[in-house]
């Protein structure tokens, strides 16, 4: 067998390149490193990232992350040398030059595990290794000889997965009232006897009881708006009454979040309620949209030849993971977030149900489906952890009508407006229309894959019911009017085909004509213009497109009615599985019919009267000058109106909570952005200020000598501030272009000082993985955009400095302009900016012992917006040099344990500035 220590090992960072061969490690140039990796199988950690650092994106080798995914599927790993060493119990590298030797030692440890009796993920390993060998996976020659052949043939994945069981509908919850003392006792049990007393948390839990009382008025839930500052402990504060009500009433409480990070946190907190993991898995269920879960039918197609090359290897590793996964969640679950990114043109999205083509009971894996198991588990769960969009969709058009959320806690409630805005919007675009065509017609021409059209999915109905078969054929004929493959090329070339492509061509012409008037046409990014004063060709194209869509809607409606008739007058062949499949088809048809009806209403606006409730506009979507979609969009001017009608009014009790619920305004702002203002009796209010010592442990520094638009000065400021803090910096940008420019200028310089720098939209890793790396290394820094403004929870010394490139002004879009006009002009803008500042500042202090600085690189920061920060927080306007001194002093004071920053760096295995 091959000796891992005989394999060359390569590590590349912004600070240098090190290659270990023949028992010695040397710093090498890029050319030598690339040549070695091209000639000899070379050990790497994260090949895409290493290739990017070498300037050779097609770099391949023996990636230890792929080996980890095979040996320990569904097991967490921070994908860094430090994370790998800690996971395997190896000595952490003292410097970057020691990392290649670590890679060899880690390889030996992982390969030795394959022959160990303690390898808990052995099942299926031998068969998978043989398949990966045939696929020429680089690791296969090292793995296969080390896995002993099992005495009996290993079961295929699809026979190993457990089946879910059908259960009777859950009875309606009992009508009860919670006793406040019992709730506080439950809270004390959750926090533990050793926990410090938190009066604010007890008051919060007592106030939350209101949301669980019996409802007294129609169209009026017991609704509480609760702003609880960071450190109050609101998660356990609402889990106490929620879990007690679920236990006593035998009902389900839906806890809705906006970010996957909070979903993971809530899932972890569930062990406080149910210390036994098996009980916790049954009583608390995480629910996400269908597109997040592995589709077993898609996976089977991939394993049986649907994928080739590197994508086929990915499918095999995903199959290994699926056998050990908790719930099959591929996005934010226990699938390592870094795994799909290792396969550059990866096929992970093709392994989920993103096109809504599920055939439900017609699928051979239906009884083992992760999605169906999650849906059924949530019916009997005490707590369902979901996201805002899923809760809204489930309330509005959910297939599980018996599971309509009745008791809801919206955590991260300051995002409720944005979530409703997205959920209740409509977009008639080329990409949306071609997906509808594929859903109706299935594969065309030489296209491959599992995609099947209506005729294939409902073939038994077509043969049984003549009218239903005619409706299917009519729908397929009408769908030919929708955009087909390469629609965008034809439009750009001035050769659109069919009424929908003609419409999109007219939209594109109008957008470019109007954008040129305001100097935007050559900016390289998306363009938009209002649907106002349309010219004759656009109106005519909209009318022809409406006729084509109406011709499609009619047979789809007819087909839906025929399916309902078949269920009512069940034929002999309609067993339970077939019934479930047809019910699924009815729900899917209803969704598409609603979509087409919304498109028709949108087209009626072109050339017709405007609707004051909506904002309509046209776009050409581009990335760095490259067009990828064209469309017409409609958003509610106030999206909390449909939120109130479809989600809030039917509910029994609703708690909306956040640390920044008022969003930099007053309670009227909280009511207007949560939908409470549309309820007959509004909502009750609760407020608890953060217990943290912001005046003593935080500061806001406004740098006054950085000229707006000066990338060199901006980059220099970021670099010097990160150096002053010794890393631990979260840098926030409003534009990807500036983020990339700053990263390119300072990454090498910081790396040479032992300060790793990572960035969204630069490093080939998902956001969750970047945050994991940032949290794990107190000398690392992370640059990102709005997604990191309140999606990061990094307590402790790993985050001690937040730097914003400037005031986070709103982008001047058509939608924003309309809402600004309706919401009070400048006052509306100020509320949004205060909310963003408060959310960003909230990343800094997560625990009582945390300390840090918040820096804004803008002399134009208006004083009226400073109320976004907690009362008493020191705020100073100063030069960059003065800010660097302040940050350095604050960061060193934050160590707090007598250990110098240099000692901290030495202990983490990274060389420090003072030693250099």
């Amino acid at each position: 067998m091959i000796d891992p220590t005989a394999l060359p090992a390569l590590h590349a960072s912004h600070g240098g390149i090190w290659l270990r061969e023949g028992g010695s490690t040397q710093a090498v140039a890029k050319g030598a490193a690339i040549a070695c990796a091209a000639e000899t199988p070379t050990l790497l950690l994260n090949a895409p990232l290493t290739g990017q650092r070498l300037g050779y994106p097609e770099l391949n080798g023996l990636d230890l992350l792929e080996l980890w995914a095979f040996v320990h599927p569904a097991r967490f790993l921070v994908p860094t040398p430090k994370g790998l060493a800690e996971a395997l119990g190896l000595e952490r590298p003292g410097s970057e030059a020691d990392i290649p030797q670590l890679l060899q030692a880690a390889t030996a440890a992982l390969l030795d595990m394959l022959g160990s009796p303690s390898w808990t993920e052995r099942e299926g390993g031998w068969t998978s290794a043989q398949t990966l060998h045939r696929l020429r996976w680089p690791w296969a020659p090292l793995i296969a000889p080390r896995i002993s052949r099992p005495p009996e043939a290993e079961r295929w994945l699809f026979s190993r997965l457990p089946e879910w069981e059908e259960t009777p509908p859950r009875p309606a919850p009992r009508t009860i009232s919670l006793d406040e003392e019992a709730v506080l006792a439950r809270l004390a049990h959750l926090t533990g006897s050793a926990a410090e007393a938190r009066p604010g948390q007890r008051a919060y839990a007592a106030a939350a009881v209101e949301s669980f009382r019996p409802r007294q008025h129609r169209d009026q839930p017991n609704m509480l708006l609760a702003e609880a500052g960071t450190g109050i402990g609101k998660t356990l504060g609402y889990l106490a009454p929620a879990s007690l009500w679920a236990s006593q009433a035998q009902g389900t409480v839906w806890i809705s979040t906006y970010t996957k990070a909070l979903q993971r946190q809530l899932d972890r907190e569930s062990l406080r309620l149910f210390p036994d993991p098996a009980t916790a898995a049954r009583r608390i269920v995480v629910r996400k949209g269908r597109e997040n879960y592995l589709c077993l039918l898609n996976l089977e197609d991939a394993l049986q030849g649907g994928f080739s090359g590197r994508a086929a290897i990915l499918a095999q590793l995903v199959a290994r993971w699926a056998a050990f996964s908790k719930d099959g969640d591929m996005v934010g679950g226990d699938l390592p977030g870094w795994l799909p990114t290792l396969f550059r043109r990866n096929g992970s999205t093709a392994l989920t149900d993103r096109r809504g083509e599920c055939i439900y009971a017609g699928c051979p894996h239906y009884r083992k489906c992760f999605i169906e198991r999650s849906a059924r588990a949530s019916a009997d769960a005490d707590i369902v952890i979901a996201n805002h969009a899923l809760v809204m969709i489930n309330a509005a058009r959910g297939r599980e009508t018996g599971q309509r959320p009745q008791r809801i806690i919206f955590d991260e409630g300051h995002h409720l407006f944005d979530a409703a805005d997205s959920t209740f919007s409509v977009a008639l675009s080329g990409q949306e229309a071609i997906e509808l065509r594929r859903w109706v017609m299935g594969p065309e021409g030489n296209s491959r894959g599992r995609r099947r059209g209506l005729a294939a999915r409902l073939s038994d109905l077509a043969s049984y019911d003549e009218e239903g078969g005619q409706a299917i054929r009519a729908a397929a004929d009408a769908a030919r009017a929708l955009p087909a493959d390469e629609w965008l090329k034809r439009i750009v070339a001035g050769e659109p085909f069919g009424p929908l492509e003609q419409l999109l061509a007219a939209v594109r012409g109008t957008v470019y004509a109007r954008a040129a008037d305001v100097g935007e046409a050559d900016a390289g990014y998306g363009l938009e213009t209002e649907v106002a004063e349309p010219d004759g060709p656009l109106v005519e194209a909209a009318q022809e497109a409406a006729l084509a869509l109406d011709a499609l809607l009619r047979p789809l409606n007819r087909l839906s009615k025929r399916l309902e008739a078949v269920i009512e007058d069940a034929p002999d062949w309609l067993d339970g599985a077939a019934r479930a499949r047809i019910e699924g088809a009815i729900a899917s048809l209803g969704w598409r019919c609603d979509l087409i009806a919304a498109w028709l209403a949108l087209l009626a606006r072109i050339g017709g009267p405007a609707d004051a409730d909506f904002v309509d506009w046209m776009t050409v979507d581009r990335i760095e000058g490259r067009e990828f979609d064209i469309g017409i969009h409609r958003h509610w001017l106030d999206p909390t109106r449909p939120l109130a009608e479809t989600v809030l009014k039917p509910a029994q009790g609703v708690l909306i909570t956040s640390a920044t619920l008022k969003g930099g305004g007053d309670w009227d702002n909280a009511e207007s952005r949560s939908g409470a203002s549309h309820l007959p009796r509004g909502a009750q209010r609760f407020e608890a200020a953060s217990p943290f010592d912001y005046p003593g442990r935080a500061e806001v520094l406004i740098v006054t000598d950085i000229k707006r638009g000066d990338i060199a000065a901006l980059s220099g400021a970021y670099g010097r501030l990160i150096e002053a803090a010794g890393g631990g910096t979260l840098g926030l940008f409003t534009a990807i272009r500036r983020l990339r420019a700053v990263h390119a200028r300072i990454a090498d310089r910081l790396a040479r000082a032992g300060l790793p720098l990572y960035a969204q939209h630069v490093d080939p890793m998902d956001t969750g993985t970047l945050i994991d790396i940032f949290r794990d290394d107190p000398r690392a820094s992370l640059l990102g955009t709005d997604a990191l403004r309140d999606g990061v929870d990094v307590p402790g010394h790993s985050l001690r400095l937040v730097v914003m490139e400037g005031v986070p002004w709103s982008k001047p879009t058509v939608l924003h302009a309309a809402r600004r006009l309706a919401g009070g002009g400048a006052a509306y803008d100020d509320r949004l900016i205060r909310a963003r500042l408060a959310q960003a500042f909230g990343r800094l202090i997560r625990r009582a012992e945390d300390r840090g600085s918040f820096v804004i690189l803008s002399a134009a920061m208006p004083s009226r917006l400073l109320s976004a920060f907690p009362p008493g927080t020191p705020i100073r306007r100063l030069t960059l040099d003065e800010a660097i001194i302040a940050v350095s002093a604050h960061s060193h004071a934050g160590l707090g344990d007598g250990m110098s920053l240099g000692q901290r760096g030495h202990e983490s295995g990274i060389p420090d500035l003072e030693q250099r």
Side-chain angles (χ1 to χ4, degrees), residues 773-861:
I773 293 172
F774 177 50
R775 183 185 293 114
D776 190 59
D777 186 351
R779 294 184 66 82
S781 296
L782 176 60
L783 306 182
T785 52
D786 288 351
L788 298 184
R789 194 172 55 226
D790 62 345
V792 175
D793 183 17
V794 181
H797 193 62
S798 287
L799 176 51
R800 50 195 177 270
L801 173 64
V802 175
V803 182
M804 298 190 76
E805 63 163 325
V807 183
W809 300 113
S810 299
K811 186 178 179 181
T813 63
V814 171
L815 181 60
H816 174 73
R819 287 177 176 161
R820 185 179 188 275
L821 183 63
Y828 176 82
D829 271 337
D830 287 355
R831 288 194 297 270
L832 292 181
I833 305 308
R834 288 193 194 98
R836 292 169 187 163
L837 290 170
Q839 291 155 18
F841 182 85
R843 303 308 96 210
L844 192 61
I845 308 294
R846 309 299 294 173
R847 298 188 306 204
E849 61 269 25
D850 288 354
R851 175 186 295 272
S853 304
F854 187 89
V855 178
I856 303 173
L857 300 174
S858 173
M861 175 71 184

Side-chain angles (χ1 to χ4, degrees), residues 58-291:
E58 298 303 317
L59 178 73
N60 288 309
L62 294 166
D63 194 333
L64 270 83
L65 294 183
E66 294 182 31
L67 178 60
W68 177 276
F70 178 89
V71 178
H72 296 305
R75 197 178 295 192
F76 178 77
L77 173 72
V78 178
T80 61
K82 174 176 175 283
L84 185 64
E86 291 179 345
L88 294 174
L90 301 173
E91 183 179 352
R92 288 185 289 180
S95 68
E96 289 197 292
D98 296 329
I99 291 175
Q101 187 171 4
L102 167 68
L103 300 186
Q104 291 179 335
T107 301
L110 286 168
L111 293 177
D112 287 346
M113 178 59 68
L114 301 177
S116 170
S118 62
W119 186 29
T120 57
E121 297 100 335
R122 177 183 301 276
E123 186 176 18
W126 184 85
T127 303
S128 180
Q130 306 309 307
T131 304
L132 286 165
H133 203 297
R134 290 193 294 272
L135 293 172
R136 300 189 177 186
W137 185 40
W139 281 109
L142 286 84
I143 286 176
R146 289 174 165 82
I147 304 178
S148 57
R149 182 168 186 161
E152 297 180 357
E154 293 179 315
R155 293 179 298 162
W156 200 28
L157 165 70
F158 302 101
S159 62
R160 302 204 310 266
L161 292 173
E163 292 189 354
W164 51 261
E165 296 182 358
E166 198 74 63
T167 58
R170 191 177 190 180
R174 295 174 51 226
T175 301
I176 65 165
S177 292
L178 292 180
D179 178 69
E180 185 174 309
E181 291 303 318
V183 169
L184 295 179
R186 172 63 65 93
L187 176 62
H189 171 73
L190 292 177
T191 56
S193 57
E196 60 177 313
R198 292 188 181 185
Q201 187 182 52
R202 289 174 60 84
Y204 180 95
V209 169
E210 174 62 28
S211 300
F212 296 96
R213 299 192 189 283
R215 189 170 73 167
Q216 297 181 348
H217 304 281
R218 184 179 179 183
D219 290 341
Q220 177 63 51
N222 295 322
M223 186 163 172
L224 175 68
L225 301 179
E227 181 170 273
T230 306
I232 288 295
K234 59 183 172 60
T235 301
L236 294 182
Y238 61 63
L239 278 176
S243 61
L244 191 63
W245 180 88
S247 174
Q248 295 182 359
Q250 296 297 295
T252 300
V253 178
W254 287 68
I255 300 179
S256 180
T257 76
Y258 191 72
T259 63
K260 292 182 174 67
L262 182 56
Q263 281 191 329
R264 288 195 296 268
Q265 177 186 328
L266 284 167
D267 197 23
R268 290 193 299 267
E269 294 283 7
S270 67
L271 293 178
R272 291 177 180 261
L273 288 169
F274 307 106
D276 176 26
T279 303
R282 187 177 69 256
R283 305 287 293 275
I284 299 183
V285 175
V286 177
R287 282 287 307 275
K288 295 182 181 179
R290 303 182 66 87
E291 68 280 0

